[in-house]
Amino acid sequence: MATAVQKITLASARDIPFNKLVLSQSNVRRVKAGVSIEEMAESIARRGLIQSLHVRPVLDAEGQETGMFEVPAGGRRYRALDLLVKQKRLNKIAPVPCIVSDAASDILIDEISLAENVERAPLHPLDQFRAFQAMQGKGMTEEAIAAAFFISVNVVKQRLRLAAVSRKLLDLYADDALTLEQLMAFTVNDDHERQEQVWDALQRSYSREPYQIRRMLTEKAVRASDKRARFVGVEAYLEADGTILRDLFESDDGGWLKDPVLLDKLAADHLATIAEEITGEGWKWVEAAVNLPYGVNHGLRRLSGQRAVFTQDEAATVDALNAELSRFEEMYADTDEYPEEVDERIGEIETALAAFDERPVQYDPAEIARAGVFVSIGNDGTLVIDRGYVRPEDEAPVEPEPVRDDEVATDAMEEEEIAPPAIQRTIITIGGAPAAPAESEEAEDDGIRPLPDRLLSELTAHRTLALRDAVADNPHVAMTALLHKLVLDTFRHRSATGCLEASVRRVHFSAQADDLNDSAVARSVAERQELWAAELPEDDAALWDWLGALDDGSRMALLAHCVSFGINALYEKPNPYSGHGVSESGLRIRLEQADRLAWATGLDMVEAGWQPTVGNYLGRVTKVRILEAVREGAGERAAQLIEHMKKGDMAKEAERLLAGTGWLPDALRLAEIEGDEAAANGSEATGIDAEVDEADALPAFLAEMGGDLLDEREPADNDEAEFAHAVAAE
């Protein structure tokens, strides 16, 4: 027969007047912890008594109930109620919900007090974060939540930010797979996808520290302390719909600006505005950039201007300020520090005197017309304007020798015909590029400027692909390149990944011309890839055996093909602001090694199939560079016959004139080398045929008008040097 389970009986609940309650001396809580009594009293006043008190009847000496009840569990709630009574906010006979246990129970009252505190499960922080989030979703403001729980608004913001982290990461935190400090670090960036990417990346990293998480989440952003941000102003950035990443848990120095492209645009626009204002001073050129290159003023003559002379009133003001400053120094010479009001006044005096010292420098107007100004941003975000530099080509011409009287009239007529226009346009460049696209042919810069970064990247993409094809056809060079890398890794301790500590990472071109995919070298590389792919076994073990059975020639050819995909000869704009991208030294080393590969393989970009067209070069550069290319490739006469054309027509004719000449831009030429190797290879470096039939190179409509021009020039024998092409070198 089954034994009946004994049923338990729960203690009854009833309301007891507060003045009938007393705090039990058996309550185990002695140390203050958690919410203060004052805060709990305010919570009861706002929300009522959420949890009943546990009480026992007080017995007299004979074991009879006295009508009083002691409180072994709920002592802090009792004290909060007592405080409300003392504040006259609660009636002393107000009924208090209580659970009344049996006074004759054999369970010690100390046990009840201890169990009430020990068995209480603390709320997981995540539950609190989500509760705050739910209250906000139901209409409570951050200020209202803070007031309801007697905490600061900033604490509420922090908890709401924690609740807004990716659900995947919150689940990990709930399972203790993520620490609170790590979760706090993830709040820096509110992009859930990026948060999860960083967490996945950390699984493969030895470091999962919060600082590492913050660094990875802000690696593409710009510090608010960055000089560009200080120059533009965070307010202006926000007004342009920029966003800022903030860390609510650590000092973030103003946060991170999330959109560096927008910041660069704002900085460039601001610099352009300032440069435009400076043009009103009459300078020939203004070059503005966030960071001007080191030695940008090398080889330029610096104008020696003079500070504007003080007026009588200004001189009197300076004397008075200096006298007042001297007076203070004498009065307080024996004291360690100035009184506060005196110290403030001295600061005002020093600021005023500094303003007088920084009065503008005056230059000769004739010198201003041939000189220029550099505008940049200082490390502290302040504007730096450096005036008065003359380029060598802008120097005044040397005085000619005296002429005879009968030549004066002729010279005067010629000077009238070639006299420059009276109005000079100031040339403004921002970051090495024109401030705005020229709307007319007259507005184009007369000087030769560096090629645009995008064009350089596209040109070097052609060269990189050609290098891959050349290296794949030259196993000896491929082996040398691979051995070179292994030696660097082994003896110079450069980091690498993989079992062998050597790998080939196929480099894709971030910038490339439209014709790259259809080029001859692209087809050659693709065909070679398809041939090898058709031969390779699918199974890894079978591949090992297949490789082992290859003859030495085939093994070397396959090695060369694989190594070639790791070649990266691309030009990229160096990135000075973060660890991403390539540094200036890294770019220099990359291009130097590419030059060595080019010489070793005998790479000729002309033979590789590259030739200048409107799309890949001529339509992307200035008229000056177009003429320079035609002058080098087709001769001086051809350049003169197209120099009057508009840029679009000039580029089209230049493409026809340069066809078959083998002309290459600097970025595609072999680098200059020294010694016998240069002598041996120099004549083959460019692939340019020195013998060019200029008559055949000219279009019909130019040949008709070119006859007179050619007749007016010196005999053809004197022009032979103009048709010879020097060895191309960077």
Side-chain angles (χ1 to χ4, degrees):
M1 181 176 179
T3 304
V5 178
Q6 185 177 0
K7 306 298 186 196
I8 63 173
T9 303
L10 298 176
S12 61
R14 59 189 258 200
D15 291 342
I16 301 174
F18 177 75
N19 61 351
K20 296 297 182 181
L21 302 176
V22 294
L23 188 62
S24 174
Q25 297 306 306
S26 297
N27 194 301
V28 298
R29 187 184 290 275
R30 294 287 187 270
V31 181
K32 293 182 178 180
V35 178
S36 69
I37 299 301
E38 292 77 8
E39 291 176 348
M40 180 167 284
E42 293 299 329
S43 176
I44 293 173
R46 175 184 175 87
R47 290 177 280 265
L49 188 63
I50 299 175
Q51 185 177 356
S52 301
L53 304 183
H54 190 102
V55 300
R56 268 190 179 183
V58 178
L59 305 179
D60 58 15
E62 286 77 21
Q64 300 297 318
E65 294 187 5
T66 62
M68 300 296 291
F69 298 84
E70 60 180 337
V71 183
R76 298 176 69 250
R77 280 163 277 159
Y78 173 84
R79 289 191 179 94
L81 292 169
D82 186 49
L83 179 60
L84 292 172
V85 170
K86 290 177 180 178
Q87 294 174 346
K88 300 187 181 303
R89 300 168 68 186
L90 180 69
N91 196 313
K92 65 180 180 179
I93 62 172
V96 179
C98 299
I99 302 296
V100 183
S101 62
D102 186 1
S105 172
D106 58 353
I107 303 298
L108 294 175
I109 195 170
D110 307 75
E111 180 182 339
I112 292 175
S113 177
L114 181 60
E116 195 268 347
N117 288 282
V118 171
E119 294 175 356
R120 179 187 305 164
L123 186 70
H124 193 285
L126 180 57
D127 291 329
Q128 186 190 97
F129 308 157
R130 286 172 168 165
F132 279 6
Q133 188 180 50
M135 287 186 285
Q136 186 188 46
K138 294 178 180 178
M140 287 187 70
T141 64
E142 295 171 351
E143 292 75 13
I145 297 173
F149 292 92
F150 318 109
I151 55 179
S152 68
V153 176
N154 187 55
V155 171
V156 176
K157 290 179 182 292
Q158 290 176 334
R159 283 157 172 70
L160 289 173
R161 182 72 70 84
L162 287 166
V165 174
S166 162
R167 180 178 293 275
K168 174 183 176 181
L169 299 182
L170 291 178
D171 291 342
L172 290 170
Y173 173 57
D175 294 336
D176 296 329
L178 194 69
T179 67
L180 179 59
E181 289 73 19
Q182 290 173 324
L183 187 67
M184 290 160 57
F186 276 107
T187 65
V188 171
N189 192 328
D190 58 4
D191 185 341
H192 288 182
E193 182 179 357
R194 181 58 184 156
Q195 291 173 354
E196 294 173 7
Q197 288 174 352
V198 168
W199 177 251
D200 292 340
L202 289 175
Q203 307 314 300
R204 302 184 295 273
S205 172
Y206 68 91
S207 174
R208 301 182 188 179
E209 296 299 321
Y211 75 86
Q212 176 78 355
I213 296 172
R214 288 183 173 90
R215 186 190 66 78
M216 294 175 69
L217 287 170
T218 59
E219 59 190 355
K220 294 183 180 180
V222 177
R223 279 276 188 184
S225 57
D226 183 272
K227 66 179 185 179
R228 292 168 293 169
R230 298 171 71 176
F231 174 67
V232 171
V234 174
E235 296 78 10
Y237 171 80
L238 292 174
E239 289 176 1
D241 295 330
T243 55
I244 295 183
L245 305 177
R246 297 304 305 267
D247 190 343
L248 298 184
F249 300 93
E250 288 191 359
S251 175
D252 60 6
D253 197 20
W256 297 264
L257 279 62
K258 192 175 181 179
D259 192 344
V261 175
L262 174 62
L263 179 62
D264 287 336
K265 180 181 183 303
L266 293 175
D269 290 346
H270 196 183
L271 285 172
T273 300
I274 294 169
E276 192 66 38
E277 294 173 356
I278 295 174
T279 61
E281 301 174 14
W283 301 98
K284 181 175 182 179
W285 52 266
V286 178
E287 184 170 339
V290 174
N291 297 292
L292 289 171
Y294 175 77
V296 68
N297 56 0
H298 179 70
L300 308 186
R301 177 170 63 88
R302 180 72 184 271
L303 299 184
S304 55
Q306 295 182 346
R307 295 282 181 187
V309 179
F310 285 134
T311 64
Q312 291 184 351
D313 291 341
E314 289 174 336
T317 301
V318 171
D319 292 341
L321 291 172
N322 283 320
E324 186 178 0
L325 187 60
S326 299
R327 218 169 32 248
F328 283 133
E329 292 174 350
E330 292 175 2
M331 290 174 59
Y332 299 97
D334 298 331
T335 60
D336 293 334
E337 58 183 19
Y338 296 115
E340 184 176 352
E341 63 277 5
V342 174
D343 189 57
E344 291 180 0
R345 177 55 186 162
I346 289 176
E348 294 173 356
I349 294 173
E350 291 175 343
T351 302
L353 290 174
F356 281 113
D357 290 338
E358 295 173 359
R359 64 192 185 281
V361 177
Q362 296 179 338
Y363 300 98
D364 181 356
E367 293 277 52
I368 289 178
R370 64 168 60 95
V373 182
F374 292 111
V375 181
S376 61
I377 304 175
N379 290 332
D380 58 353
T382 58
L383 180 67
V384 178
I385 302 177
D386 200 7
R387 293 176 171 86
Y389 289 93
V390 182
R391 292 167 173 161
E393 62 268 24
D394 294 329
E395 293 286 4
V398 179
E399 290 293 332
E401 296 181 1
V403 296
R404 299 191 307 274
D405 293 341
D406 58 348
E407 295 177 344
V408 173
T410 302
D411 291 344
M413 292 176 62
E414 292 178 356
E415 288 177 3
E416 276 189 320
E417 294 176 359
I418 63 173
I423 299 177
Q424 172 179 289
R425 296 178 181 270
T426 302
I427 301 169
I428 301 177
T429 56
I430 306 296
E439 296 182 359
S440 63
E441 296 294 328
E442 292 77 17
E444 188 172 38
D445 189 358
D446 292 331
I448 296 179
R449 297 295 179 197
L451 295 178
D453 292 336
R454 172 79 185 192
L455 179 56
L456 276 175
S457 297
E458 292 181 5
L459 292 174
T460 51
H462 271 286
R463 189 184 190 216
T464 300
L465 196 58
L467 269 176
R468 290 180 182 179
D469 190 44
V471 168
D473 277 336
N474 197 322
H476 178 76
V477 173
M479 177 63 80
T480 302
L482 179 60
L483 185 60
H484 176 262
K485 182 186 185 303
L486 293 177
V487 169
L488 291 178
D489 290 345
T490 304
F491 296 96
R492 299 186 185 176
H493 308 293
R494 295 188 177 177
S495 60
T497 57
C499 175
L500 183 61
E501 297 294 327
S503 62
V504 174
R505 179 177 63 86
R506 184 168 182 174
V507 180
H508 296 278
F509 306 137
S510 57
Q512 56 181 276
D514 295 337
D515 60 345
L516 180 64
N517 197 46
D518 296 326
S519 62
V521 290
R523 291 193 295 272
S524 175
V525 171
E527 290 170 0
R528 188 183 299 108
Q529 174 79 357
E530 292 174 1
L531 288 173
W532 279 115
E535 295 286 333
L536 299 177
E538 292 290 337
D539 182 68
D540 190 39
L543 175 62
W544 179 270
D545 296 335
W546 184 82
L547 290 173
L550 283 179
D551 60 272
D552 289 344
S554 298
R555 288 162 62 88
M556 291 294 289
L558 180 57
L559 171 68
H561 176 70
C562 295
V563 169
S564 71
F565 279 97
I567 294 172
N568 183 1
L570 284 172
Y571 170 86
E572 297 178 55
K573 186 176 182 180
N575 183 3
Y577 302 116
S578 69
H580 285 262
V582 62
S583 64
E584 292 186 6
S585 61
L587 179 63
R588 176 179 54 80
I589 293 172
R590 174 193 293 179
L591 298 181
E592 287 175 355
Q593 293 184 358
D595 290 333
R596 286 201 295 270
L597 278 178
W599 278 109
T601 58
L603 175 66
D604 187 335
M605 288 302 297
V606 176
E607 293 181 1
W610 192 92
Q611 59 181 357
T613 65
V614 174
N616 67 15
Y617 183 85
L618 299 170
R620 312 273 293 283
V621 297
T622 63
K623 292 174 63 175
V624 175
R625 281 200 176 271
I626 297 174
L627 291 173
E628 178 190 47
V630 174
R631 189 174 292 112
E632 291 178 358
E636 178 64 29
R637 293 181 181 177
Q640 288 182 348
L641 291 171
I642 66 170
E643 64 183 358
H644 67 284
M645 294 182 174
K646 292 185 178 295
K647 181 177 175 179
D649 296 333
M650 180 186 290
K652 293 177 182 177
E653 278 307 311
E655 177 178 341
R656 199 196 68 80
L657 291 171
L658 291 174
T661 64
W663 179 88
L664 295 172
D666 289 347
L668 300 185
R669 300 177 184 179
L670 283 177
E672 186 175 18
I673 60 174
E674 299 177 357
D676 296 336
E677 186 179 1
N681 295 291
S683 61
E684 301 175 0
T686 62
I688 298 177
D689 187 358
E691 299 297 330
V692 179
D693 186 350
E694 188 174 35
D696 293 339
L698 297 180
F701 81 94
L702 287 178
E704 296 175 358
M705 59 183 293
D708 295 335
L709 292 174
L710 297 177
D711 291 339
E712 293 176 4
R713 293 178 52 80
E714 295 178 5
D717 292 341
N718 296 333
D719 291 327
E720 289 179 358
E722 296 173 355
F723 286 85
H725 306 293
V727 175
E730 290 183 338

